[in-house]
Amino acid sequence: MSRVYVALDLETTGLEPEHDAILEIGVVKFRGEEILDTWSSLVDPQRRIPYHIQQLTGIAQEEVDRAPSLSSLLGPLRRFVGSTPLVGHSIGFDLAFLKRHGLFTDNLALDTFELASILLPHVARYSLQRLAEELDIPTSTHHRALDDALTAARLFQALREQANRLSLAIIHEIGRLGERSSWPAARFFQDVERSRRRSTSTGAGEQMVAKGTLDGQGLAQFLGRLEEDEPPLQPAAQPRALDTEALARMLEQGGVFARQFPGYEHRPQQIEMLRAVAEAFNQGRHLLVEAGTGVGKSIAYLLPAVYFAAKNSEHVVISTNTINLQDQLYHKDIPDLKRLLDIEFQAALVKGRGNYLCLSRLDALRNQSQLSLTEAKVLAKILVWLPSTLTGDRAELFLPEASERAVWAKVRSEPDSCLGERCRYWQQGQCFFYEARRRAESAHLIVVNHALLLADIAVENRVLPEYRYLIVDEAHNLEDSVTRQLSFEVDREKLEEMLTSLSQEVAPGRYVGLLTQLSLRLQDILPSQDLYSQVSQHIRGVQRSTKSARAALYDLFNGLRSCLSEYHRPGQKYDQRIRLTGGVRVQPAWDQVEIVGDNFTLQLEEVAKKLHTLLEGLESLTECDLTPCEDLLQGLLLWGGQIQSAYERLRPLFFEPSENMIYWATIHLRDEHISLHAAPLHVGELVERHLFLPKKAVVMTSATLRAGGGFDYIRERLHGWDADELAVGSPFDYPSSTLLYLPNDIPEPNQPYYQKRVEAALTRLCRATGGRTLALFTSYSQLNRTARAINHHLGQEDISVFAQGRGTSRQQLLENFRTTPRSVLLGTSSFWEGVDVAGEALSCLVIAKLPFSVPSDPIFAARSETFEDPFGQYAVPQAILRFRQGFGRLIRSKTDRGIVVVLDRRVQSKFYGRAFLDSLPECTIRQGPLAKLPKVAKEWLDRRR
């Protein structure tokens, strides 16, 4: 007979169990599909319900004011539930409120959110409402406790039915993994397995269960069928030119796009860009093209790219900075073109190697003797997903938590740990990474991101097939992408992890780690004692070197701490970054750092060399089957590669620093630990050498490439000296849609009372407009001060404040902002670009400060020194590009209308301020006092077309 469960749901005044209160309780006792009993009650929270909670739940303040207290309800609730297992959607949230009152500390708790994220890997959203829609579960109201508890009970049963459809071998494997980690959800899968075993006869699946685990062949049989590849492209000897005018006619009024897409808008700017891209391909020229918001630049470059690639059997690589644009191109724009165009072409999406599952590393993690709860959960997600994936792409998995993504890092493909042709999955054609590479060989369009584009350059085109035509979208980010790709960061903890994973002495002469595990396993594999003794001697040599390197590591960071102490200023509010310039290196204290740095890096090199010799020797033992050691060999390859890389990067940091690298140390505020960093000084030479010079045509495009009215800044940063240029404006009517308000009585950011005026201005503006405001900051400290100051005042007006950096993801913050009618979103850094909120939800944009880089940032400071006029030639153009990106968050469609407020008076008071204003599209501009801002904003927004 099925087990009895109780589904539980609470409605609360907020998300913090320590500070918020329960509004409503709903519980449902059920067995299978049978509802046995229900119980619910409103609760007096003894406080005011926030407006957005009233809107969300429909619970009015006067209702709860008349409700019983929580203390009077605890007894009936405890008696209803007893020791029955609990079920709920994100039930940990509900239990956190109840456990503060001593309830249900020992009950088994099963989370339908967690189970759904395992059993339904391909759904778009995992909210209770969306899952009910996905599974055709009938619902009544949402965000009421009893109704949501009933929905959770039905969802639980639907998920059990979903689990019943899995292979019995996978169900058994998930239960087995859970047993090694005390994972509560393991009980769910074990119950399903027992039920299945009682109801099915013994077959292939049961025979695999009898073995106790999925062996390597068993895992392979659950893989989805990989797509068969087309033959690789063979470029035409003589390129055939595009008919530019024929392509342009497709976008004209009455053209194929207008006929096929209802509501299609003819945009002359889009056609002008298409012509320029087509001619760049025809003539083998490079092109810089800025296309304002609303131009439709992706179609403007995709059309020429598709026809040129298909006519000439060429690869055209398209690189983006963000996943959102990458997905839009591959999953929307390119499929639209495939349906519309009369030409056959293939497209491939290729991501960085770490996005692909490595089946060999997956085997290694599955076979560990102990697993953490998170490891068991992620492995369950992967095993359920494996039969349906064609790509092995991590993006298909729902891994919302940082701890889950850390587990993915243990099973993703890594170049340093790849066994290549020796891997059985590679031999069987089941390696996801190499299959992606093979698909790209036959693709006309290859969609990548900047990181992969640059990684391919670093390994000399071993990731992507050879190509001659490239389109770089979001090109204003390319310099930062190159910088990140070539940067290096390490601290004592990371270096210690590398060494400890290999070997750690736990008693005199007694070691643990991968080397010890390898030694034990080889005892049963090597054919003779003499051979085993020789290999053991090599292993002991690596272990001794690792021990010496660990000792030298501590000396190194003690020496660094002593040297940097004279630069450290206690009581700082931020991490302190100290550039390791010539001035630091001539100080007497640096001599000791060089001594300990020399010793440590030589010890690292010794470990890497001895480990390499050991692995080469084992590989030469062709008469031995080392398959049982595959997981250990992979681990040793991985850490050996990382140790070699650390040696190669740390050595010049201490000795003979490169003139084209920036070096610095960071003293972290949180715990005062030290990390070491390096980044390239110039990236333009690299872009020129690896992209502009070897490629026939490179098109770089963005909505923001110009600063000061021209392309000079971006040319200098990326060495695009010989590229043609084109700037096409936006089709949006900015004078009618956008008001730019410039307060003329606010202090400058470095003057007294500036912050107080920002807080007051934002509060009054949001009251007048009912929220609907995105405020952009340049630092978390100002953002947090502002959030604390406005939260209470706006809360009294039933306006919700969402702030970046409080544990909520960027995506969730944007979703909250879009769906909460009266709300304000405060963001920094990443929110200056890539935010797309169309319509009235975003009607006001506030820019608190001009987005200048922090002068003490080591990369900015070092690059500034390469200019005669660092401020005018580097700081201002860089800030203008960011400013334009921020401005572009407001108007996202032709029907949008809004107001931009710049609370930085320097755009009016400083000589460089005019350059910022001139960089914006022509819009309606008003100057005036802060006191008039609320009235002006309300009047402007009320006059919607």
Side-chain angles (χ1 to χ4, degrees):
M1 182 177 288
S2 299
R3 190 192 296 263
V4 174
Y5 296 92
V6 170
L8 165 72
D9 188 78
L10 304 179
E11 300 301 330
T12 63
T13 60
L15 304 178
E16 301 293 334
E18 298 81 9
H19 309 297
D20 291 304
I22 297 172
L23 290 175
E24 188 177 34
I25 305 170
V27 280
V28 176
K29 190 171 291 185
F30 68 99
R31 180 192 291 115
E33 296 182 357
E34 181 185 6
I35 303 299
L36 303 175
D37 198 2
T38 65
W39 181 89
S40 67
S41 178
L42 288 168
V43 182
D44 180 4
Q46 300 180 342
R47 67 186 67 188
R48 190 173 183 278
I49 307 175
Y51 177 74
H52 72 278
I53 298 293
Q54 293 186 49
Q55 280 197 317
L56 186 69
T57 63
I59 299 174
Q61 186 69 47
E62 52 269 23
E63 291 182 88
V64 294
D65 288 343
R66 299 191 300 266
S69 66
L70 179 61
S71 59
S72 69
L73 297 171
L74 295 180
L77 178 59
R78 184 184 287 110
R79 288 190 293 273
F80 185 95
V81 175
S83 59
T84 308
L86 289 164
V87 168
H89 205 65
S90 298
I91 195 168
F93 171 83
D94 302 285
L95 290 178
F97 280 86
L98 294 173
K99 285 180 177 179
R100 295 185 68 238
H101 301 280
L103 265 64
F104 314 136
T105 55
D106 298 321
N107 293 60
L108 173 68
L110 296 173
D111 186 355
T112 52
F113 175 88
E114 180 180 78
L115 293 173
S117 72
I118 294 167
L119 294 165
L120 303 171
H122 299 295
V123 300
R125 297 286 302 280
Y126 289 91
S127 68
L128 185 61
Q129 180 180 351
R130 293 294 181 88
L131 288 169
E133 292 171 2
E134 184 80 22
L135 299 172
D136 295 322
I137 295 171
T139 60
S140 50
T141 59
H142 301 293
H143 299 295
R144 291 304 298 261
L146 185 58
D147 290 318
D148 284 353
L150 282 164
T151 303
R154 293 173 182 135
L155 173 59
F156 180 79
Q157 186 59 24
L159 292 171
R160 187 180 173 93
E161 292 170 7
Q162 189 75 18
N164 266 318
R165 299 188 187 107
L166 294 175
S167 154
L168 188 52
I170 286 180
I171 296 171
H172 173 78
E173 176 74 351
I174 293 173
R176 185 184 72 88
L177 294 170
E179 280 181 344
R180 286 184 275 151
S181 64
S182 303
W183 179 37
R187 290 273 294 275
F188 172 87
F189 291 96
Q190 289 159 357
D191 282 352
V192 172
E193 182 186 350
R194 280 191 291 269
S195 175
R196 284 278 297 278
R197 287 172 70 91
R198 285 195 299 266
S199 61
T200 57
S201 59
T202 302
E206 284 77 4
Q207 291 169 12
M208 292 183 68
V209 171
K211 294 180 182 180
T213 185
L214 297 174
D215 61 15
Q217 296 298 322
L219 183 60
Q221 86 171 32
F222 291 105
L223 293 170
R225 184 191 300 275
L226 298 181
E227 297 169 324
E228 295 192 9
D229 298 326
E230 299 286 334
L233 298 184
Q234 298 295 328
Q238 188 65 37
R240 297 165 58 196
L242 293 169
D243 184 340
T244 303
E245 292 310 309
L247 291 177
R249 284 195 294 273
M250 298 175 74
L251 297 178
E252 293 282 4
Q253 293 175 344
V256 64
F257 275 75
R259 295 195 302 270
Q260 294 294 326
F261 292 106
Y264 171 77
E265 295 177 353
H266 168 250
R267 287 163 282 192
Q269 301 90 341
Q270 187 180 47
I271 296 173
E272 187 179 0
M273 177 176 172
L274 177 146
R275 286 193 173 101
V277 174
E279 287 307 308
F281 282 143
N282 283 344
Q283 298 174 19
R285 298 278 299 168
H286 303 318
L287 174 67
L288 300 174
V289 53
E290 180 181 282
T293 308
V295 164
K297 66 180 184 301
S298 59
I299 296 300
Y301 62 66
L302 281 175
L303 268 177
V306 165
Y307 277 93
F308 188 86
K311 286 165 69 83
N312 295 293
S313 196
E314 287 274 6
H315 301 295
V316 176
V317 172
I318 303 170
S319 181
T320 74
N321 186 61
T322 61
I323 292 174
N324 286 345
L325 180 54
Q326 196 177 42
D327 286 344
Q328 178 195 314
L329 291 173
Y330 187 73
H331 296 295
K332 182 183 181 300
D333 294 342
I334 291 174
D336 283 348
L337 292 181
K338 279 194 170 186
R339 288 190 295 269
L340 181 69
L341 303 181
D342 58 355
I343 190 168
E344 291 290 326
F345 69 95
Q346 300 298 321
L349 176 64
V350 184
K351 297 186 177 181
R353 186 167 192 148
N355 288 281
Y356 297 99
L357 177 69
C358 172
L359 294 168
S360 185
R361 296 189 76 197
L362 175 62
D363 278 341
L365 184 59
R366 284 174 47 236
N367 293 322
Q368 284 186 4
S369 58
Q370 285 190 322
L371 296 169
S372 70
L373 186 150
T374 305
E375 285 172 337
K377 180 167 64 173
V378 172
L379 285 171
K381 290 184 179 185
I382 292 172
L383 289 172
V384 172
W385 163 69
L386 207 51
S388 62
T389 183
L390 297 174
T391 64
D393 182 357
R394 169 250 178 277
E396 297 175 2
L397 280 172
F398 182 62
L399 302 174
E401 298 173 10
S403 59
E404 293 181 322
R405 295 190 288 274
V407 176
W408 172 263
K410 299 180 181 181
V411 296
R412 69 189 179 192
S413 180
E414 295 272 9
D416 290 332
S417 65
C418 183
L419 299 173
E421 296 180 13
R422 290 177 292 140
C423 174
R424 54 182 158 169
Y425 293 110
W426 187 93
Q427 294 165 2
Q428 296 163 9
Q430 298 283 14
C431 174
F432 289 116
F433 173 71
Y434 282 104
E435 286 303 309
R437 174 65 164 76
R438 277 194 281 269
R439 281 194 295 272
E441 292 278 2
S442 58
H444 300 92
L445 301 186
I446 304 172
V447 182
V448 303
N449 61 18
H450 294 350
L452 178 63
L453 178 74
L454 300 165
D456 181 62
I457 291 170
V459 295
E460 299 176 345
N461 291 99
R462 292 203 302 270
V463 178
L464 298 175
E466 187 174 339
Y467 63 95
R468 299 187 295 174
Y469 297 87
L470 169 67
I471 297 169
V472 180
D473 203 340
E474 302 176 309
H476 65 280
N477 285 304
L478 189 61
E479 181 182 18
D480 287 343
S481 295
V482 178
T483 300
R484 283 193 298 272
Q485 192 73 15
L486 300 178
S487 293
F488 171 63
E489 176 183 352
V490 74
D491 57 16
R492 196 193 74 186
E493 287 73 17
K494 180 60 179 174
L495 291 165
E496 189 172 20
E497 181 188 7
M498 294 180 194
L499 298 169
T500 300
S501 297
L502 291 181
S503 179
Q504 182 178 11
E505 189 177 41
V506 293
R510 181 168 166 261
Y511 297 91
V512 296
L514 289 175
L515 289 166
T516 299
Q517 294 174 47
L518 178 66
S519 179
L520 292 171
R521 210 171 288 182
L522 288 173
Q523 278 184 311
D524 300 324
I525 294 174
L526 298 182
S528 70
Q529 184 60 40
D530 284 348
L531 181 57
Y532 177 71
S533 296
Q534 292 175 38
V535 173
S536 295
Q537 185 174 352
H538 281 291
I539 290 174
R540 285 193 294 272
V542 185
Q543 288 173 326
R544 286 192 293 270
S545 293
T546 304
K547 177 184 175 181
S548 299
R550 282 171 59 87
L553 170 64
Y554 287 98
D555 291 341
L556 170 62
F557 277 87
N558 287 337
L560 278 169
R561 186 171 300 280
S562 175
C563 174
L564 299 178
S565 61
E566 60 185 274
Y567 300 94
H568 180 39
R569 297 187 297 276
Q572 291 287 300
K573 295 181 179 179
Y574 310 100
D575 294 345
Q576 188 176 349
R577 291 167 291 191
I578 302 162
R579 279 179 63 199
L580 304 179
T581 59
V584 173
R585 295 172 186 274
V586 297
Q587 298 301 315
W590 186 257
D591 293 343
Q592 182 60 30
V593 171
E594 285 192 348
I595 292 170
V596 292
D598 181 43
N599 183 37
F600 175 67
T601 53
L602 290 176
Q603 295 288 353
L604 271 189
E605 184 184 30
E606 187 72 10
V607 171
K609 283 181 176 178
K610 287 185 176 179
L611 186 57
H612 180 70
T613 301
L614 171 65
L615 293 172
E616 272 197 334
L618 289 172
E619 189 175 348
S620 69
L621 300 177
T622 53
E623 72 277 13
C624 301
D625 179 13
L626 296 178
T627 303
C629 298
E630 258 186 16
D631 56 333
L632 298 176
L633 296 176
Q634 269 200 319
L636 292 170
L637 276 169
L638 176 65
W639 293 115
Q642 292 194 9
I643 288 170
Q644 177 65 29
S645 176
Y647 162 75
E648 291 170 355
R649 295 183 178 215
L650 281 173
R651 190 75 184 170
L653 187 146
F654 298 115
F655 308 97
E656 299 181 7
S658 167
E659 291 183 356
N660 193 39
M661 293 296 288
I662 307 159
Y663 303 97
W664 73 97
T666 300
I667 303 175
H668 294 266
L669 175 68
R670 178 171 42 88
D671 53 9
E672 294 195 354
H673 87 275
I674 294 172
S675 56
L676 296 170
H677 309 255
L681 179 62
H682 301 284
V683 306
E685 295 170 4
L686 298 168
V687 174
E688 182 181 26
R689 184 164 73 248
H690 294 290
L691 294 182
F692 283 123
L693 291 178
K695 307 304 178 191
K696 290 279 289 181
V698 177
V699 176
M700 294 198 176
T701 183
S702 168
T704 54
L705 286 183
R706 293 181 303 156
F711 289 86
D712 293 348
Y713 174 75
I714 204 73
R715 285 186 188 279
E716 190 276 331
R717 300 315 298 160
L718 300 179
H719 281 206
W721 309 119
D722 299 325
D724 298 331
E725 63 183 47
L726 172 69
V728 294
S730 170
F732 296 160
D733 182 3
Y734 280 98
S736 297
S737 68
T738 308
L739 172 66
L740 176 62
Y741 193 84
L742 305 174
N744 55 20
D745 59 350
I746 190 170
E748 291 183 8
N750 59 344
Q751 293 178 337
Y753 305 109
Y754 162 74
Q755 177 60 23
K756 291 290 186 184
R757 301 299 296 275
V758 168
E759 295 161 4
L762 195 53
T763 301
R764 291 168 188 156
L765 174 66
C766 293
R767 280 174 173 164
T769 61
R772 300 183 292 167
T773 299
L774 170 64
L776 297 175
F777 297 86
T778 58
S779 70
Y780 277 106
S781 60
Q782 187 187 16
L783 183 153
N784 289 329
R785 289 199 304 273
T786 305
R788 286 193 298 269
I790 71 174
N791 193 56
H792 175 69
H793 298 297
L794 294 182
Q796 291 179 324
E797 303 287 329
D798 298 322
I799 297 172
S800 302
V801 177
F802 302 112
Q804 186 182 0
R806 295 185 173 183
T808 305
S809 70
R810 181 179 187 272
Q811 181 180 358
Q812 187 60 55
L813 280 171
L814 285 170
E815 183 66 16
N816 292 344
F817 179 60
R818 284 190 187 100
T819 56
T820 306
R822 294 170 62 84
S823 63
V824 181
L825 176 58
L826 311 184
T828 185
S829 55
S830 63
F831 280 82
W832 283 76
E833 60 181 285
V835 172
D836 191 354
V837 182
E840 293 187 29
L842 174 47
S843 297
C844 304
L845 175 74
V846 176
I847 295 177
K849 281 185 183 179
L850 298 180
F852 285 108
S853 291
V854 179
S856 61
D857 175 78
I859 296 175
F860 177 81
R863 288 176 177 171
S864 294
E865 292 168 1
T866 65
F867 291 89
E868 290 184 9
D869 174 15
F871 186 74
Q873 293 176 297
Y874 184 49
V876 169
Q878 185 188 71
I880 286 175
L881 289 181
R882 291 178 187 159
F883 181 71
R884 294 181 66 203
Q885 280 289 328
F887 179 91
R889 297 316 96 211
L890 182 67
I891 303 299
R892 307 302 298 173
S893 74
K894 280 193 171 182
T895 58
D896 283 356
R897 182 178 178 86
I899 177 171
V900 178
V901 183
V902 180
L903 297 177
D904 190 333
R905 195 160 175 269
R906 290 177 294 179
V907 293
Q908 302 168 75
S909 63
K910 299 297 185 184
F911 68 92
Y912 54 81
R914 175 50 55 183
F916 282 84
L917 298 179
D918 288 346
S919 73
L920 300 178
E922 183 181 351
C923 52
T924 300
I925 301 178
R926 291 189 193 171
Q927 296 182 358
L930 277 173
K932 288 188 176 180
L933 171 60
K935 182 174 182 292
V936 169
K938 189 174 187 310
E939 288 176 350
W940 180 264
L941 296 178
D942 286 345
R943 288 208 317 268
R944 291 186 179 276
R945 287 170 293 182

